[in-house]
Amino acid sequence: MLVVRAARQSDHDAFVELASAAGSGFTSLAVSAEALDEKLAKSEAAFEGRITDPGDAVYQLMIEDEDSGEILGTAAVKAQIGVKKPYFDFKIMTLAQASREADRRFDMNVMLLVNDFAGCTEVGSLFVRDKARGTGAGRLIAQSRYLLIAAARERFGDRLISELRGVVSDDGSSPFFEHVTRPFFHMSFDEADRLSASTDNQFILDLMPVHPIYLELLPEAARNVVGKTHPHGVGAHKLLEWEGFEYDRYVDIFDGGPLVSCRTDKVRTLRESHLAPVGELSAAAPYKAIISNNRLPDFRVAFADLQIGQGGCGADEKVRRVLNLNAGDTARYWVKS
């Protein structure tokens, strides 16, 4: 049985293993073991409500095999981005070029460094082990993020964003970085990735150009990956689109991966979720659902077969035990259509 739960500091070793398995280009996990431990400590404080500034609150989730205790993946929700630490992206804009004398009219695409998402909430850091792919683990932890937001809606922004990993090869090279970013940074992709994850990003403001970068002047290898998702992120991209996220020509400044966004209250899982008291099963459970205990700090989510009626919902004893739900407690559920 798979369960998503709030991360704990005791997850440190598993968290380090996940970060290592994620590989190059996974910015949020491209930090030292000490920094990962700090992430877990801050996450515990956020879940417990000890962090009052949303700019400091990051909620780390772990997906665990309840029977074996093995950690199979992770994901995170950053309550507020771009305020205390700039959140830089490239915005792709189209400039009209025209000359009556030359009898020419055409459009040129340019990229401009922006911090357009200040105050938004970011859902990201979604990674599951290869062995868990195809088990529903990725979908469960992805949707759990929106049930978490619903459980404490006041802690999060009115717009959600997600930045998908761009095209990065197994050896850590990125055609976008090599031709766009490296000439300004004079450092490797991994070094820039680590600095972005572990600093306040002032180095980006110091080194990146403030003038537009013309896409037509870039080599074909770089142009071809602008707005493209890493092969391992295609499934996550599809899930985000299914939730209602849209691409609006924002891309990551390191690998060119796409940034997608959606109004928080329009996200499908959140919008279609329901609150109800939970109890024992008294009849067949025909509904396939994702159910959470709808509370912090002990936030937990699992798949469940539910019986749903006017008086609430019924779930079997194992589901209620895993979620720490007693009869009569309020649960939040989303039913698979």
Short mmCIF file of all heavy atoms in Angstrom, two decimals, residues 6 15 58 67 72 87 89 91 94 98 131 154 168 172 174 179 187 191 203 246 262 275 277 286 300 324:
data_model
loop_
_atom_site.label_atom_id
_atom_site.label_comp_id
_atom_site.label_asym_id
_atom_site.label_seq_id
_atom_site.Cartn_x
_atom_site.Cartn_y
_atom_site.Cartn_z
N ALA A 6 3.79 13.74 5.21
CA ALA A 6 4.74 14.82 5.46
C ALA A 6 6.11 14.24 5.73
O ALA A 6 6.26 13.23 6.44
CB ALA A 6 4.26 15.64 6.66
N PHE A 15 16.26 10.51 1.49
CA PHE A 15 16.22 11.76 0.74
C PHE A 15 17.51 11.96 -0.05
O PHE A 15 17.51 12.36 -1.21
CB PHE A 15 15.99 12.93 1.71
CG PHE A 15 15.43 14.17 1.07
CD1 PHE A 15 14.75 14.14 -0.13
CD2 PHE A 15 15.58 15.40 1.72
CE1 PHE A 15 14.24 15.30 -0.70
CE2 PHE A 15 15.06 16.56 1.16
CZ PHE A 15 14.39 16.51 -0.05
N VAL A 58 8.34 25.62 2.98
CA VAL A 58 8.39 24.60 1.93
C VAL A 58 7.91 23.29 2.54
O VAL A 58 8.44 22.84 3.57
CB VAL A 58 9.80 24.42 1.35
CG1 VAL A 58 9.80 23.35 0.27
CG2 VAL A 58 10.33 25.74 0.80
N ASP A 67 3.94 -1.18 3.59
CA ASP A 67 4.26 -2.52 4.07
C ASP A 67 5.75 -2.70 4.33
O ASP A 67 6.14 -3.31 5.32
CB ASP A 67 3.77 -3.56 3.05
CG ASP A 67 2.26 -3.53 2.89
OD1 ASP A 67 1.56 -3.35 3.91
OD2 ASP A 67 1.78 -3.64 1.75
N LEU A 72 9.79 5.76 -1.81
CA LEU A 72 9.81 5.57 -3.25
C LEU A 72 9.88 6.87 -4.04
O LEU A 72 10.11 6.84 -5.25
CB LEU A 72 8.57 4.78 -3.69
CG LEU A 72 8.43 3.38 -3.10
CD1 LEU A 72 7.09 2.78 -3.48
CD2 LEU A 72 9.58 2.50 -3.57
N TYR A 87 12.76 34.68 -8.39
CA TYR A 87 12.47 33.46 -9.14
C TYR A 87 12.56 33.81 -10.62
O TYR A 87 11.59 34.27 -11.23
CB TYR A 87 11.07 32.94 -8.78
CG TYR A 87 10.77 31.55 -9.27
CD1 TYR A 87 10.98 30.44 -8.45
CD2 TYR A 87 10.26 31.34 -10.55
CE1 TYR A 87 10.69 29.17 -8.89
CE2 TYR A 87 9.98 30.06 -11.00
CZ TYR A 87 10.20 28.99 -10.17
OH TYR A 87 9.91 27.72 -10.62
N ASP A 89 13.02 33.52 -14.67
CA ASP A 89 12.76 32.73 -15.86
C ASP A 89 13.00 33.61 -17.08
O ASP A 89 13.13 34.83 -16.96
CB ASP A 89 11.31 32.24 -15.89
CG ASP A 89 11.03 31.15 -14.88
OD1 ASP A 89 11.45 30.01 -15.12
OD2 ASP A 89 10.38 31.44 -13.85
N LYS A 91 11.10 34.95 -20.31
CA LYS A 91 9.81 35.10 -20.97
C LYS A 91 10.07 35.27 -22.47
O LYS A 91 10.84 36.13 -22.87
CB LYS A 91 9.06 36.33 -20.43
CG LYS A 91 7.80 36.71 -21.21
CD LYS A 91 6.73 35.64 -21.15
CE LYS A 91 5.45 36.12 -21.83
NZ LYS A 91 4.43 35.04 -21.91
N THR A 94 7.38 38.03 -28.75
CA THR A 94 7.48 38.17 -30.20
C THR A 94 7.53 39.64 -30.57
O THR A 94 6.64 40.41 -30.18
CB THR A 94 6.29 37.49 -30.90
OG1 THR A 94 6.27 36.10 -30.54
CG2 THR A 94 6.39 37.63 -32.41
N ALA A 98 9.42 45.20 -39.39
CA ALA A 98 8.83 45.61 -40.67
C ALA A 98 9.63 46.75 -41.29
O ALA A 98 10.16 47.60 -40.58
CB ALA A 98 7.38 46.04 -40.46
N LYS A 131 11.76 1.96 -9.98
CA LYS A 131 11.00 0.78 -9.60
C LYS A 131 9.55 1.10 -9.27
O LYS A 131 8.70 0.20 -9.29
CB LYS A 131 11.66 0.09 -8.40
CG LYS A 131 11.62 0.89 -7.10
CD LYS A 131 12.38 0.22 -5.98
CE LYS A 131 11.78 -1.09 -5.58
NZ LYS A 131 12.49 -1.69 -4.43
N GLU A 154 -5.30 28.85 3.17
CA GLU A 154 -4.86 30.19 3.51
C GLU A 154 -3.34 30.34 3.50
O GLU A 154 -2.82 31.46 3.47
CB GLU A 154 -5.39 30.58 4.89
CG GLU A 154 -4.78 29.85 6.08
CD GLU A 154 -5.26 28.43 6.28
OE1 GLU A 154 -6.20 28.01 5.54
OE2 GLU A 154 -4.74 27.73 7.16
N VAL A 168 18.28 17.62 -20.73
CA VAL A 168 19.63 17.47 -20.18
C VAL A 168 20.04 16.03 -20.41
O VAL A 168 19.29 15.10 -20.10
CB VAL A 168 19.68 17.79 -18.67
CG1 VAL A 168 21.09 17.63 -18.13
CG2 VAL A 168 19.17 19.20 -18.40
N GLY A 172 25.00 15.15 -18.07
CA GLY A 172 24.81 16.44 -17.42
C GLY A 172 24.91 17.63 -18.34
O GLY A 172 24.81 18.78 -17.90
N SER A 174 23.70 20.27 -21.32
CA SER A 174 22.44 20.86 -21.77
C SER A 174 22.73 21.77 -22.95
O SER A 174 23.48 22.74 -22.82
CB SER A 174 21.80 21.66 -20.63
OG SER A 174 20.85 22.60 -21.14
N HIS A 179 24.74 27.10 -24.96
CA HIS A 179 24.70 28.17 -25.96
C HIS A 179 24.05 29.46 -25.46
O HIS A 179 24.22 30.50 -26.07
CB HIS A 179 23.96 27.68 -27.20
CG HIS A 179 24.64 26.56 -27.90
ND1 HIS A 179 25.85 26.71 -28.54
CD2 HIS A 179 24.30 25.25 -28.05
CE1 HIS A 179 26.22 25.56 -29.07
NE2 HIS A 179 25.31 24.65 -28.79
N MET A 187 30.67 28.94 -16.03
CA MET A 187 30.71 27.82 -15.08
C MET A 187 29.96 26.66 -15.69
O MET A 187 29.24 26.82 -16.69
CB MET A 187 30.12 28.22 -13.73
CG MET A 187 28.64 28.58 -13.76
SD MET A 187 27.96 29.07 -12.14
CE MET A 187 28.73 30.67 -11.89
N GLU A 191 27.40 23.26 -11.63
CA GLU A 191 27.78 24.31 -10.68
C GLU A 191 26.70 25.39 -10.62
O GLU A 191 26.32 25.84 -9.53
CB GLU A 191 29.11 24.94 -11.09
CG GLU A 191 29.64 25.96 -10.08
CD GLU A 191 30.97 26.56 -10.48
OE1 GLU A 191 31.51 26.17 -11.54
OE2 GLU A 191 31.49 27.41 -9.73
N PHE A 203 23.55 35.92 -7.95
CA PHE A 203 24.52 35.71 -9.02
C PHE A 203 23.86 35.76 -10.39
O PHE A 203 24.48 36.15 -11.38
CB PHE A 203 25.27 34.40 -8.81
CG PHE A 203 24.55 33.15 -9.25
CD1 PHE A 203 24.87 32.53 -10.45
CD2 PHE A 203 23.54 32.60 -8.47
CE1 PHE A 203 24.22 31.38 -10.86
CE2 PHE A 203 22.87 31.46 -8.88
CZ PHE A 203 23.21 30.84 -10.08
N GLU A 246 -1.13 25.53 -17.82
CA GLU A 246 -0.88 25.89 -19.21
C GLU A 246 0.51 26.52 -19.37
O GLU A 246 1.01 27.19 -18.46
CB GLU A 246 -1.94 26.89 -19.70
CG GLU A 246 -3.35 26.31 -19.73
CD GLU A 246 -4.37 27.31 -20.21
OE1 GLU A 246 -4.11 28.54 -20.11
OE2 GLU A 246 -5.44 26.89 -20.68
N CYS A 262 -1.37 27.82 -13.30
CA CYS A 262 -2.83 27.68 -13.22
C CYS A 262 -3.33 28.43 -12.00
O CYS A 262 -2.64 28.48 -10.98
CB CYS A 262 -3.20 26.20 -13.12
SG CYS A 262 -4.99 25.85 -13.11
N LEU A 275 -15.16 17.24 1.04
CA LEU A 275 -14.97 16.96 2.46
C LEU A 275 -16.14 16.13 2.96
O LEU A 275 -17.30 16.37 2.58
CB LEU A 275 -14.90 18.27 3.26
CG LEU A 275 -13.65 19.12 3.09
CD1 LEU A 275 -13.84 20.46 3.79
CD2 LEU A 275 -12.43 18.40 3.64
N PRO A 277 -17.26 13.30 6.56
CA PRO A 277 -16.85 12.44 7.67
C PRO A 277 -16.60 11.03 7.15
O PRO A 277 -17.30 10.56 6.24
CB PRO A 277 -18.05 12.49 8.62
CG PRO A 277 -19.21 12.89 7.77
CD PRO A 277 -18.66 13.76 6.70
N PRO A 286 -17.62 1.08 -4.33
CA PRO A 286 -17.45 1.10 -5.79
C PRO A 286 -16.59 2.23 -6.33
O PRO A 286 -16.27 2.25 -7.51
CB PRO A 286 -18.89 1.25 -6.28
CG PRO A 286 -19.57 2.05 -5.21
CD PRO A 286 -18.94 1.61 -3.92
N ARG A 300 -1.50 13.10 5.47
CA ARG A 300 -1.32 11.78 4.87
C ARG A 300 -2.37 11.57 3.77
O ARG A 300 -3.51 12.01 3.90
CB ARG A 300 -1.42 10.67 5.92
CG ARG A 300 -0.37 10.79 7.03
CD ARG A 300 -0.59 9.77 8.14
NE ARG A 300 -0.16 8.44 7.74
CZ ARG A 300 1.10 8.00 7.83
NH1 ARG A 300 2.06 8.79 8.29
NH2 ARG A 300 1.41 6.77 7.48
N ASN A 324 -4.48 7.62 9.83
CA ASN A 324 -4.74 8.06 11.21
C ASN A 324 -6.10 8.74 11.33
O ASN A 324 -6.24 9.80 11.94
CB ASN A 324 -3.63 9.02 11.68
CG ASN A 324 -2.29 8.33 11.82
OD1 ASN A 324 -2.22 7.13 12.08
ND2 ASN A 324 -1.21 9.09 11.64
#
